[in-house]
Amino acid sequence: MLVSVTEMLKKAKAGKYAVGQFNINNLEWTKAILLTAEECKSPVILGVSEGAGKYMCGFKTVVNMVEGMIECLGITVPVAIHLDHGTYDGAMNAMKAGFSSIMFDGSHYPIDENIQKTTELVNLAHSKGISIEAEVGAIGGEEDGVIGSGEVADPNECKMIADLGVDLLAAGIGNIHGKYPENWQGLNFEVLEKISQATDPMPLVLHGGTGIPEDMIKKAISLGVCKINVNTECQITFSAAVRKYIEEGKDLVGKGFDPRKLLAPGVEAIKATVKEKMELFGSIGKA
Ligand code: 13P
């Protein structure tokens, strides 16, 4: 069932668990994530960056693929297609193509401009029943070409953006896209607590889910985080499994070169990673 994230995150916030956003790159990724969500009876959010959208031949192709899979695989759990780190134009295009949820990342604009653009998009998204995520502060590192400064969010600015009527809010709290460096200071829980108090009951989003230790994930959830984004970790486990298959020479045995066989270990690796995250986030059985 294709839905916005509004209801699933309200339930998650009340139940003190988080729904995973897993970014998709192609058919294998999407199928692996949908099948795991169904097996785990967990709601799920499919994240699509603008780069991945282009790679998959446009947002319309993505929506058609996901809708086709939901029908063909008999997926009954709530599924959202969510634009990840959208530009203003990207958000407009994703809504036109049938995305059920969007993120507008106006964090690099001065706060007044972020407010003005977010307001326009909130009104448009809500008129179509689409949920919208905004960002304050900036997530460090790089997400598919979007580079963030790692600026920690100001709780007052978070309140200003939350009051615009967005459905979920991403705030920079020392989190980084991609792998965390050795000398990473960890999440800034002091700021997260202030943001949580200032914006309650707004569902908060934790980007950069790859490599955050379990205890920090649990603490973040206890402080109001109810959507956690994971991308790099599925890419790492997928490529390691496919590399192992090739290094063991399995592609050279019989029809081992058939792409359906070659990519199968990668698909299984994504499924295992997604299941592990759903367990950690507490979303299993919550569909
Ligand atoms: P990671 O790639 O670090 O898991 O972050 C994903 C993300 O936050 C997508 O917006």
Side-chain angles (χ1 to χ4, degrees), residues 85-201:
H85 291 283
T87 58
Y88 183 88
D89 289 346
M92 293 295 236
N93 291 336
M95 287 194 277
K96 219 182 286 166
F99 275 44
S100 61
S101 189
I102 56 166
M103 172 187 190
F104 169 58
D105 181 355
S107 61
H108 52 287
Y109 291 116
I111 188 70
D112 289 346
E113 200 172 346
N114 191 357
I115 286 177
Q116 181 236 321
K117 289 191 158 67
T118 302
T119 305
E120 276 178 43
L121 290 168
V122 164
N123 292 336
L124 194 59
H126 286 174
S127 73
K128 295 167 180 274
I130 296 170
S131 46
I132 173 164
E133 172 180 344
E135 176 169 325
V136 182
I139 318 301
E142 181 193 334
E143 178 58 40
D144 208 10
V146 180
I147 297 169
S149 62
E151 180 200 347
V152 172
D154 172 347
N156 293 326
E157 288 189 357
C158 289
K159 166 116 182 82
M160 282 156 77
I161 295 281
D163 286 348
L164 303 178
V166 299
D167 302 280
L168 56 163
L169 183 71
I173 52 164
N175 40 340
I176 297 172
H177 290 125
K179 290 181 181 173
Y180 284 85
E182 289 283 313
N183 61 352
W184 180 52
Q185 304 289 304
L187 296 176
N188 189 330
F189 290 114
E190 216 177 294
V191 171
L192 177 58
E193 202 162 357
K194 284 191 187 138
I195 294 169
S196 196
Q197 280 162 6
T199 61
D200 193 58

Side-chain angles (χ1 to χ4, degrees), residues 21 23 47 49 84-85 103 133 135 139-140 142-143 175-180 205-212 227-235:
Q21 172 191 307
N23 285 48
S49 66
D84 192 28
H85 291 283
M103 172 187 190
E133 172 180 344
E135 176 169 325
I139 318 301
E142 181 193 334
E143 178 58 40
N175 40 340
I176 297 172
H177 290 125
K179 290 181 181 173
Y180 284 85
V205 183
L206 182 62
H207 282 247
T210 297
I212 298 180
K227 170 172 171 279
I228 303 178
N229 293 5
V230 179
N231 185 9
T232 306
E233 201 159 326
C234 289
Q235 300 189 11

